[in-house]
Amino acid sequence: MNRIVFAFCLPVFLFHAALAQCQDKSKYVATDLFPASSISPAGNSYRSATGEPGPAYWQNRADYKIDVSLDDKAEIITGTETITYLNNSPNELSFLWLQMDQNVYKKHSKGLDSKLFLTNNATDPKFEGGFTIASVNLKSAKGTFKEAGFTINDTRMRIELHEPLRSGQQLSFQIKYSYKFPRNFRNADFNVNRTDILPTKNGDIYSVAQWYPRLCVLDDVSGWNTLPYLGNGEFYLEYGNFDVNITLPSAYIVEASGDLLNPEEVLTATQAERWNRAKSSDQKVFIRTVEEVSAPSSRPSKPLCTWKFKLTSARDFAWTASKSFVWEGVGIALPSGKKVLGSSLNPAESKLAESWERSGEYIKFTLQYFSEKWYEYPYNKAVNVASNLDGMEYPGLVFCAAKDKGNMYWAVVNHELGHTWFPMIVGSNERRYAWMDEGLNAFMDNMATKDFNNGEFIGYPEIDIPVAGLFADSLVPIMTRPDVIPGNEVYTVQYQKVAYLLTLLREHILDKGQFDLAFRKYIRDWAYRHPTPWDFFSSINNTTGEDLNWFWKSMFLENYKLDQKVTRVTNSQSGKAAIIVENMERAAMPLQVEITFENGAKEFHNFPVEIWEQGPIYKFVPDFDGAISKVVINPKDVFPDINPANNVWDNKQP
């Protein structure tokens, strides 16, 4: 028995001894990527191990009623908001936290002082932004309001409750506030202000966002999510309903996230007829033409208008106002038969054939494509506004650059509207995990671009950063908090690398049908809820039936690199040759090998990632006999191998 064991083990021993020198340089550790335990937390009653919300999952709710006015002479927003907050958590609450994002424009805010993404280029050196809070009052059971104590710390406000808010109970409170509209807060590369004023020949365009104090999210993962607003980390918000009344001079056209409730009060009779017709028209209808922009008759003859909007089941609300708007609308049919209004507003100078002239076309395709592919568009309209922002998204409304043309204009409209699915429908925490909206959205955008108008924009690269750049040593991992990612890495890490990896997973590690089924289920399970990255990982794992923790660990939690190497080829003229491949870096991927024999025949192998569970070396023999003339691994550049120079062996090598 011992001799049999020895006879069996001797060739294995000699094989590994002969390859000992090959292993010296390998950084790969199989147990790092294939551990016995999961990378995700254990499931609980709130979040199941399957990646689904658990039976006891909860989240709180915030409903807003806001009356706001714009003083266009002083450029001041003044508002009164009444918030009704429902505590679904298992704990009673003695205080509430609110986001005060406009405070990032105060002198010496954390955002400005950190100089991460916002820079004060304001022409007025005395400019002082941020909220001014006139009062905070809690509503009693009798319906009267009583002053509440509050503390403001940078972009957060804590409100002290008169008595604890118990689980299952709700309360209402009122905040009166104002702020001066910020201008020109941007870095040298692009406008990250997210709220700004664009001057045009016929009047300013106001992009109004982060314009009211908003509830911070209380969740089962981090408790109160009170990270300050610094610039790159965007927003994490509760869902609720919005009733918003906007008062300003009647010369302005206003559009907003919600449905317009009083068109007869704020539009001329001609505009109201066109607006109604546009909602069911397959062709675009001009609600206000270029020629009408400068005509006083194109607006109601009264000093002020109050525009009334309503939005349900949303996480935020934004609006726009300008005297300069050319306004068009088009009806868009969704897969269920529901009709949505595509609403486009831009200054006359942006109405170009390769630019805003195609806004309605781009809105229509994006909504129909993503609704059919993933989950139906939830709002009654989609608004695209020309602005000096390089692109920013809100429920039912997006701001896109007035100056963009050609492929860039298509890309920004498609991308910003694509944010409807992430994070408007799937409400991830952008302040901590920006890749969960930017990266997933960029992945979807690339698919849409391939199918748009018979591939009109396919000539532009989907991923415009080479593999070496996506896996550079200097890059932080994808799971890095957004405000910690260096500015010159944001696009690479949050957008392009995630889009690249999800495409790789969909098309080469899994298959398209398998991935798409899982991705749709993830969206459906977490629609109007708050998933974490681990919920996403577990959801894809469980729906596909694959343990992809090696992928999430190496590609998302770490910045591991892949380097597969043809280490040795042992030829045989009459029998089978032997091929040895080595994994030199810390990542693992499936292995694709193309073999060319001396007689000209070819053979292709597609090995699963599990071949690396035993260590960094994999040996195999071809299916056919005969001497080999060439071996190429990763022959189609499918996998992100950072060192293609060692991917080829041929019999001309010494």
Side-chain angles (χ1 to χ4, degrees):
M1 187 64 167
N2 288 341
R3 265 187 279 181
I4 295 173
V5 172
F6 178 75
F8 173 77
C9 292
L10 183 58
V12 177
F13 170 78
L14 294 176
F15 166 68
H16 285 288
L19 292 178
Q21 62 183 28
C22 301
Q23 297 184 46
D24 290 344
K25 296 182 181 179
S26 176
K27 301 176 184 177
Y28 179 72
V29 179
T31 53
D32 182 35
L33 296 189
F34 299 99
S37 59
S38 173
I39 62 168
S40 298
N44 55 46
S45 61
Y46 301 141
R47 297 169 190 270
S48 299
T50 57
E52 300 163 306
Y57 175 83
W58 60 267
Q59 67 186 48
N60 291 349
R61 177 186 178 90
D63 295 325
Y64 298 85
K65 292 185 178 181
I66 311 176
D67 292 289
V68 64
S69 63
L70 169 64
D71 180 341
D72 61 341
K73 299 293 191 294
E75 296 180 352
I76 290 176
I77 295 281
T78 302
T80 298
E81 67 173 342
T82 300
I83 304 174
T84 301
Y85 185 68
L86 174 61
N87 177 23
N88 286 319
S89 80
N91 302 317
E92 64 177 31
L93 308 176
S94 59
F95 56 84
L96 305 178
W97 280 104
L98 276 74
Q99 298 188 39
M100 305 285 284
D101 300 311
Q102 281 296 325
N103 285 358
V104 77
Y105 304 112
K106 284 183 175 288
K107 291 180 180 177
H108 295 296
S109 71
K110 292 175 185 274
L112 289 178
D113 279 356
S114 63
K115 299 180 180 179
L116 295 175
F117 294 92
L118 289 170
T119 304
N120 186 353
N121 296 320
T123 53
D124 179 7
K126 297 181 181 179
F127 176 83
E128 180 66 36
F131 285 118
T132 297
I133 302 299
S135 63
V136 177
N137 291 289
L138 294 170
K139 191 175 184 179
S140 70
K142 297 180 180 180
T144 58
F145 284 94
K146 182 179 179 182
E147 186 176 357
F150 64 92
T151 305
I152 296 176
N153 179 1
D154 196 59
T155 59
R156 290 76 49 90
M157 176 166 69
R158 175 173 153 147
I159 298 176
E160 308 300 330
L161 303 184
H162 295 151
E163 57 186 43
L165 180 63
R166 292 175 182 162
S167 178
Q169 291 186 338
Q170 66 180 32
L171 62 76
S172 294
F173 58 100
Q174 185 184 82
I175 302 176
K176 294 184 177 181
Y177 67 94
S178 63
Y179 68 89
K180 187 170 178 60
F181 218 93
R183 283 185 186 252
N184 302 312
F185 285 81
R186 64 194 71 194
N187 68 18
D189 300 317
F190 56 95
N191 189 350
V192 294
N193 191 12
R194 299 191 177 92
T195 185
D196 213 333
I197 303 174
L198 172 66
T200 78
K201 66 181 181 182
N202 291 314
D204 291 340
I205 296 176
Y206 290 83
S207 301
V208 191
Q210 290 80 258
W211 56 282
Y212 60 99
R214 305 179 291 181
L215 259 297
C216 293
V217 172
L218 175 68
D219 63 26
D220 61 287
V221 179
S222 301
W224 283 105
N225 286 264
T226 57
L227 286 177
Y229 176 42
L230 303 179
N232 185 34
E234 291 180 352
F235 312 110
Y236 186 32
L237 302 165
E238 297 287 18
Y239 288 93
N241 296 335
F242 292 82
D243 290 284
V244 178
N245 301 324
I246 303 167
T247 301
L248 70 180
S250 63
Y252 283 85
I253 292 284
V254 176
E255 256 290 24
S257 292
D259 300 328
L260 178 61
L261 302 180
N262 61 334
E264 71 286 348
E265 296 178 4
V266 296
L267 303 178
T268 66
T270 299
Q271 289 168 350
E273 184 278 327
R274 294 171 180 172
W275 179 77
N276 276 310
R277 181 156 42 93
K279 288 190 283 185
S280 58
S281 173
D282 291 333
Q283 302 299 317
K284 65 183 177 183
V285 174
F286 281 99
I287 302 166
R288 193 193 201 200
T289 67
V290 172
E291 295 75 22
E292 291 170 338
V293 168
S294 56
S297 61
S298 74
R299 297 300 302 126
S301 57
K302 54 185 176 181
L304 298 173
C305 281
T306 297
W307 298 66
K308 299 178 180 180
F309 295 94
K310 185 177 185 64
L311 180 65
T312 59
S313 299
R315 69 199 287 275
D316 202 1
F317 191 103
W319 54 281
T320 184
S322 183
K323 300 174 183 178
S324 73
F325 280 143
V326 178
W327 187 10
E328 69 174 61
V330 63
I332 302 168
L334 300 183
S336 68
K338 173 184 173 182
K339 277 276 191 174
V340 170
L341 174 66
S343 181
S344 303
L345 303 98
N346 55 270
E349 50 265 46
S350 293
K351 193 179 182 305
L352 304 173
E354 71 275 29
S355 184
W356 281 82
E357 185 68 30
R358 300 186 71 178
S359 176
E361 176 190 2
Y362 294 168
I363 296 172
K364 186 174 185 177
F365 176 86
T366 300
L367 266 57
Q368 290 179 332
Y369 183 86
F370 289 145
S371 293
E372 180 71 33
K373 187 93 182 146
W374 305 119
Y375 189 98
E376 188 159 284
Y377 184 80
Y379 312 117
N380 295 325
K381 67 178 177 182
V383 182
N384 186 22
V385 183
S387 71
N388 60 341
L389 309 182
D390 287 303
M392 190 58 202
E393 68 280 355
Y394 299 91
L397 182 147
V398 298
F399 298 110
C400 294
K403 66 181 184 300
D404 281 342
K405 301 176 183 178
N407 172 66
M408 182 55 69
Y409 181 62
W410 150 258
V412 73
V413 175
N414 180 242
H415 179 80
E416 302 310 332
L417 286 172
H419 274 302
T420 300
W421 285 263
F422 303 99
M424 306 308 161
I425 294 173
V426 180
S428 52
N429 186 345
E430 300 175 275
R431 194 64 55 91
R432 289 185 183 274
Y433 310 110
W435 66 268
M436 291 187 75
D437 69 296
E438 298 297 356
L440 271 62
N441 186 16
F443 158 72
M444 297 195 313
D445 296 341
N446 290 341
M447 294 174 62
T449 298
K450 289 179 180 178
D451 289 342
F452 173 70
N453 198 25
N454 297 314
E456 178 180 351
F457 296 117
I458 279 182
Y460 296 86
E462 299 169 33
I463 308 296
D464 53 11
I465 296 173
V467 166
L470 294 175
F471 294 89
D473 288 336
S474 60
L475 287 189
V476 296
I478 289 170
M479 285 284 281
T480 303
R481 205 167 89 189
D483 288 313
V484 181
I485 301 175
N488 62 353
E489 294 184 16
V490 167
Y491 179 65
T492 302
V493 173
Q494 288 182 185
Y495 296 74
Q496 295 288 274
K497 188 170 183 178
V498 178
Y500 170 86
L501 290 171
L502 292 181
T503 302
L504 179 68
L505 182 63
R506 177 179 186 260
E507 298 184 0
H508 301 291
I509 297 173
L510 302 171
D511 63 57
K512 294 178 182 180
Q514 190 182 19
F515 179 89
D516 290 356
L517 179 69
F519 202 57
R520 280 192 289 269
K521 186 178 188 307
Y522 169 70
I523 296 172
R524 188 171 63 250
D525 285 346
W526 290 98
Y528 309 105
R529 295 182 173 97
H530 299 311
T532 68
W534 293 273
D535 295 319
F536 175 66
F537 300 154
S538 296
S539 178
I540 302 299
N541 285 0
N542 279 272
T543 306
T544 62
E546 299 288 346
D547 183 353
L548 297 167
N549 287 336
W550 61 270
F551 181 79
W552 310 124
K553 161 82 172 181
S554 60
M555 298 290 106
F556 284 74
L557 275 63
E558 307 287 352
N559 182 35
Y560 287 175
K561 293 182 286 297
L562 177 72
D563 179 16
Q564 295 175 339
K565 172 186 176 183
V566 182
T567 297
R568 182 178 301 174
V569 175
T570 304
N571 255 327
S572 173
Q573 292 297 328
S574 57
K576 293 187 184 299
I579 300 170
I580 297 171
V581 179
E582 189 172 7
N583 214 14
M584 303 301 295
E585 283 284 349
R586 301 189 69 179
M589 286 286 165
L591 173 66
Q592 293 185 348
V593 186
E594 183 181 75
I595 303 167
T596 303
F597 294 90
E598 288 186 352
N599 63 6
K602 288 183 179 289
E603 184 177 304
F604 184 81
H605 289 266
N606 192 2
F607 296 108
V609 72
E610 283 81 2
I611 66 172
W612 303 115
E613 290 188 1
Q614 289 290 308
I617 296 167
Y618 184 66
K619 179 183 179 182
F620 70 98
V621 297
D623 291 339
F624 298 107
D625 295 345
I628 295 172
S629 63
K630 190 174 185 179
V631 175
V632 181
I633 57 177
N634 198 27
K636 300 176 183 177
D637 284 331
V638 165
F639 298 106
D641 196 309
I642 63 165
N643 185 18
N646 62 15
N647 288 4
V648 179
W649 175 94
D650 64 54
N651 57 9
K652 299 182 181 63
Q653 290 177 320

